[in-house]
Amino acid sequence: MARRYTSPLTSADVTPKGLYLNRRQIMAGAAGILGAGLIGGGARAQEAQAPNTFEEITTYNNFYEFGTGKNDPARNAHMLTTEPWSIEIDGMVDNPGTYMLADILSEMTIEERIYRLRCVEAWSMVVPWNGFELNDLLDLAGVQDGAQYVAFETALRPDEMPGVSRPIIDWPYREGLRIDEARHPLTLMATGIYGEPIPNQNGAPVRLVVPWKYGFKSIKSIVRITLQEEQPVTAWNSYDPREYGFYSNVNPNVDHPRWSQATERRIGGGLFARRQPTLMFNGYEDEVASLYEGMDLSVQF
Ligand SMILES: Nc1nc2c(c(=O)[nH]1)N[C@H]1C(S)=C(S)[C@@H](COP(=O)(O)O)O[C@H]1N2
Ligand SMILES: [Mo]
């Protein structure tokens, strides 16, 4: 199995809510940093890295199933029933079926991961997630040879999601990763923020977090995971493939057709704060660049 990722950020970077966290996990993270020394990409990503407040993370959201305004998810997502919750795991797996989330969680190790989140709209945050590695869930399902991609689907519940009555994207929200991206130790299934259960507006009860890709790849409130041979059809890519690539790796050198990606606005930085430079792979270059060796990132963006 791939090495585990240790966050270059320490418990000292987390505001008091972080104290709810499992102490052993925090200590393990700190030991990892001392042991490993500075990790290149992670160290660079550490600039201006204090996590955003719980308030910022939970009131400025994109979750179009609950409306397209940044504050709509915070106002509407309470309508989503998150308990009980199950995930259908199907396609090229040894153990297909409907998994209760509670059963999955009993098999998983929950860790804290303080990650940068960079939206394709050129704003960013730093979020202290809690979650487990997608890789561990894939092992539980038993990935078969030949499975080259993982497809994900968000719940589609018109009764609970006022936003889906508008045909903004072709619902349900869908996303996908290549299998090596899905198995990368940075790729997290998040169940919490600041040591608290993840709020509905952030994708309760379980959502994907792929920190080196634009935020829309990090699909929320997941009900289905499919292992397959072909590249999955995904919501934003099929909406407009020129604007939203399948890969959507954060890249300051590849602009969105309608705006520059060279800089970003840090949420909570204040109205007059200077924009900060966008980091290649969102600051995780040392961890993930090898996944894309030999690819022309301006073509396969
Ligand atoms: N199902 C679903 N997942 C989604 C979205 C969405 O609209 N629906 N928005 C995406 C976008 S554009 C971003 S930037 C992140 C935002 O996550 P956050 O609200 O937790 O910051 O969620 C992503 N996941
Ligand atoms: Mo986004």
Side-chain angles (χ1 to χ4, degrees):
M1 212 176 82
R3 84 192 148 79
R4 290 198 167 264
Y5 172 81
T6 42
S7 171
L9 303 168
T10 71
S11 57
D13 296 305
V14 182
T15 53
K17 275 217 163 112
L19 296 176
Y20 284 104
L21 293 169
N22 178 332
R23 225 149 248 289
R24 225 186 69 233
Q25 297 290 353
I26 292 175
M27 299 299 286
I33 291 160
L34 294 178
L38 287 178
I39 316 163
R44 224 173 310 116
Q46 201 168 0
E47 298 161 23
Q49 278 296 5
N52 282 86
T53 64
F54 189 80
E55 175 80 9
E56 286 160 353
I57 295 166
T58 58
T59 58
Y60 189 94
N61 298 102
N62 277 336
F63 198 166
Y64 279 13
E65 287 88 333
F66 296 99
T68 52
K70 295 298 182 220
N71 191 236
D72 290 343
R75 284 191 291 114
N76 295 329
H78 64 88
M79 292 185 240
L80 182 67
T81 311
T82 59
E83 177 87 64
W85 192 270
S86 60
I87 302 178
E88 183 81 27
I89 305 184
D90 59 9
M92 301 171 76
V93 290
D94 294 334
N95 313 304
T98 304
Y99 290 69
M100 294 309 298
L101 179 60
D103 294 337
I104 292 175
L105 291 179
S106 72
E107 303 285 326
M108 297 290 128
T109 308
I110 300 293
E111 300 178 43
E112 181 194 48
R113 299 286 180 90
I114 305 172
Y115 282 164
R116 297 165 44 78
L117 173 83
R118 170 59 155 80
C119 177
V120 72
E121 298 160 343
W123 52 265
S124 68
M125 299 196 197
V126 175
V127 184
W129 303 105
N130 312 99
F132 56 89
E133 289 187 9
L134 174 61
N135 190 35
D136 290 343
L137 178 58
L138 294 177
D139 281 342
L140 196 73
V143 177
Q144 295 178 343
D145 288 348
Q148 294 186 44
Y149 292 91
V150 188
F152 304 85
E153 253 179 55
T154 295
L156 176 54
R157 300 187 191 154
D159 296 350
E160 300 185 353
M161 296 173 153
V164 303
S165 59
R166 291 174 55 198
I168 305 165
I169 57 160
D170 182 16
W171 311 108
Y173 196 103
R174 282 167 293 166
E175 257 311 330
L177 296 173
R178 220 168 54 188
I179 190 76
D180 57 341
E181 299 177 319
R183 283 195 174 284
H184 193 281
L186 280 173
T187 303
L188 198 70
M189 293 285 274
T191 55
I193 292 173
Y194 273 117
E196 299 193 358
I198 191 167
N200 286 7
Q201 58 266 40
N202 294 90
V206 63
R207 61 88 62 84
L208 187 67
V209 180
V210 193
W212 71 93
K213 292 179 179 286
Y214 291 121
F216 69 84
K217 297 292 294 181
S218 293
I219 182 173
K220 295 176 171 181
S221 306
I222 294 168
V223 293
R224 188 170 179 203
I225 298 176
T226 308
L227 278 290
Q228 57 191 59
E229 204 172 328
E230 340 65 72
Q231 182 174 304
V233 172
T234 60
W236 285 108
N237 181 243
S238 57
Y239 174 85
D240 190 340
R242 288 166 308 134
E243 299 204 342
Y244 309 102
F246 173 79
Y247 285 95
S248 279
N249 294 313
V250 175
N251 189 336
N253 310 313
V254 177
D255 288 337
H256 186 278
R258 290 182 283 130
W259 59 84
S260 166
Q261 293 293 21
T263 64
E264 63 194 41
R265 177 175 62 93
R266 174 70 190 276
I267 299 303
L271 207 50
F272 302 104
R274 254 203 278 160
R275 294 174 72 90
Q276 58 186 46
T278 300
L279 300 173
M280 188 64 199
F281 294 111
N282 204 23
Y284 302 96
E285 186 172 13
D286 287 1
E287 287 84 357
V288 302
S290 62
L291 298 179
Y292 309 103
E293 248 163 34
M295 281 172 58
D296 181 344
L297 299 180
S298 62
V299 177
Q300 289 183 286
F301 62 90

